[in-house]
Amino acid sequence: MKSTTFRSAVGAVLTAALSAVVLPASAASAAQTPAAAGTVDTATAQSFGRLADAVLTQRTAALLDTEQSVRRAAPLTEKNVRLSAGQSRTEDTALSTLRSRKARLAALGEAYTSADTKVTVDRVRVEAGHATVQATETTTLAYKKIRGDEPATTGFQAHHRLSFAATADGKWRLTGLTSTDDGPLAVNEPATAPVAARTTALPDATPAAISVPSRPQTKPAGSYNYAAMAAYAEKYWQNYNPAYRKFNEAGGDCTNFVSQALKAGGWANKSGDAEDYRSWWYDTSYQSTSWVGTNEWSWFTLDSKRATNLANVYYMGVGDVMQMDFDKDGSKDHTMVVTYRSSSGVPYLTYHSVNTYRKSVASIIASYPTSAYYAYRI
């Protein structure tokens, strides 16, 4: 497979695996425009990739501590591929949103000094004057040492779908860029979750406060191996453990991943009917709904007294779990585990969907200030 690598600003690297995704042009269609022929050539596919890199690099740069990095971001134009007028307005709004997020992060005592992004083009499909590009972004951001006890980096993998429309002269315009992942936004993803009216529904978990407490709380010794939970999550946050099934295409892998980490730290199977939330188990052929279901996991955990709810998300320590209800509709949407806690009391979470390593609770709150949060002391 031929692979072309580009270097962009803010340390971003783009790798476009082209021969597997570009449909070859035939002599019969040579006189047609690429859109009409249902093909794009290698150079155009490379341009798709470079533009994806430029957009995502510029979004990430908007979060960085130095404005110089923003100005150095790669240009959002190629010879034959560029943003449409509508997408240009969308990106202007996105950058404004991300700079507001940066300000919220600063108020919470967090900043990023640099970033490295690798964008891989996974597939290009051309049909009826439109091209759809599937791309994977892998980004690492370096924490600024504000308190001095932050981890070195945070990282995530995100999947994107880019839509291009062909123009009459055979050029292409980017008309849309959307995330295809479930779970919390990547920190450089500007979209916000809609806020819906609250409904009455299970479970009985108690929401946690998200304000920084005046006094941090130290996690007491427990009966589980919390270091093992964190080590497991940080080992498999990006490269999945082949011993377990994946559920990315079946509602998300976040709770499955947290269940694996908890088992690594000492949680034992509890037998019972797979659909009964009071059971919790995984075997070679199936698993309980509480192993993979966000709400079912909460119900099992509280019913079995394997955890209690904390009053504030900043009270969480290594091995504790946080869940989110993005739109406050009464149904939880995401599960993640604390794998690092700074000496000043900031928890850092690792999770699947979007695959993420050591993301601070502050950066999650900055992206979702209106969501409901649930903290579990394991």
Side-chain angles (χ1 to χ4, degrees):
M1 178 185 297
K2 181 179 179 181
S3 178
T4 305
T5 301
F6 305 93
R7 173 70 57 176
S8 67
V10 202
V13 177
L14 166 67
T15 301
L18 298 173
S19 61
V21 297
V22 181
L23 303 176
S26 66
S29 63
Q32 297 176 288
T33 65
T39 65
V40 290
D41 58 21
T42 298
T44 301
Q46 289 176 332
S47 294
F48 287 160
R50 283 193 295 266
L51 189 63
D53 174 67
V55 170
L56 295 171
T57 295
Q58 191 167 83
R59 288 184 177 184
T60 302
L63 295 168
L64 299 185
D65 196 43
T66 56
E67 286 299 320
Q68 182 180 5
S69 295
V70 178
R71 290 194 299 270
R72 289 174 54 213
L76 302 179
T77 183
E78 286 282 321
K79 181 178 180 181
N80 296 319
V81 181
R82 63 181 60 201
L83 273 65
S84 66
Q87 192 63 30
S88 292
R89 291 190 293 270
T90 296
E91 289 306 311
D92 287 342
T93 301
L95 295 178
S96 176
T97 299
L98 290 168
R99 291 184 185 114
S100 296
R101 184 175 298 168
K102 179 173 71 172
R104 290 198 299 272
L105 281 167
L108 292 166
E110 182 168 309
Y112 309 115
T113 59
S114 63
D116 185 83
T117 294
K118 175 182 172 182
V119 176
T120 303
V121 174
D122 304 313
R123 184 176 184 183
V124 177
R125 180 184 294 274
V126 182
E127 185 176 0
H130 296 275
T132 301
V133 177
Q134 303 290 344
T136 299
E137 171 195 5
T138 304
T139 289
T140 301
L141 297 104
Y143 285 113
K144 184 177 182 179
K145 295 298 183 181
I146 296 175
R147 296 176 303 274
D149 58 0
E150 296 88 347
T153 62
T154 180
F156 65 86
Q157 262 188 348
H159 301 88
H160 305 280
R161 180 173 59 249
L162 295 91
S163 301
F164 293 87
T167 59
D169 58 359
K171 297 182 179 180
W172 296 89
R173 297 292 181 267
L174 176 66
T175 58
L177 191 161
T178 58
S179 171
T180 59
D181 293 306
D182 295 319
L185 300 173
V187 71
N188 68 348
E189 169 62 47
T192 56
V195 177
R198 181 186 293 274
T199 60
T200 301
L202 288 171
D204 294 325
T206 304
I210 58 175
S211 57
V212 179
S214 57
R215 295 182 180 179
Q217 186 181 94
T218 301
K219 181 174 181 176
S223 56
Y224 301 111
N225 187 338
Y226 304 117
M229 294 175 182
Y232 181 94
E234 294 195 346
K235 180 178 180 180
Y236 293 111
W237 75 272
Q238 184 176 11
N239 299 312
Y240 288 30
N241 185 348
Y244 288 96
R245 294 180 288 277
K246 301 178 184 177
F247 295 87
N248 303 77
E249 306 301 324
D253 199 64
C254 61
T255 307
N256 174 48
F257 177 61
V258 169
S259 289
Q260 293 172 33
L262 294 173
K263 188 173 180 63
W267 272 35
N269 282 351
K270 185 175 181 182
S271 61
D273 186 272
E275 302 300 319
D276 187 343
Y277 71 84
R278 292 168 295 185
S279 61
W280 184 85
W281 51 267
Y282 180 101
D283 64 26
T284 55
S285 59
Y286 206 58
Q287 67 286 318
S288 66
T289 55
S290 59
W291 181 281
V292 295
T294 307
N295 290 300
E296 291 84 353
W297 180 91
S298 176
W299 301 337
F300 165 78
T301 299
L302 296 175
D303 179 76
S304 64
K305 296 182 171 49
R306 292 195 180 183
T308 57
N309 282 135
L310 294 169
N312 192 300
V313 295
Y314 282 92
Y315 292 160
M316 292 188 298
V318 171
D320 288 338
V321 170
M322 189 172 82
Q323 292 189 313
M324 294 175 62
D325 177 359
F326 296 139
D327 53 11
K328 291 186 176 179
D329 67 352
S331 179
K332 297 173 184 62
D333 301 297
H334 190 62
T335 310
M336 52 203 111
V337 62
V338 177
T339 60
Y340 178 85
R341 178 183 167 92
S342 69
S343 60
S344 58
V346 178
Y348 292 77
L349 296 119
T350 298
Y351 52 88
H352 279 181
S353 308
V354 175
N355 302 337
T356 297
Y357 168 81
R358 289 193 181 184
K359 186 173 186 178
S360 75
V361 72
S363 63
I364 296 173
I365 292 168
S367 299
Y368 287 90
T370 62
S371 293
Y373 293 82
Y374 300 87
Y376 299 81
R377 168 57 45 77
I378 302 299

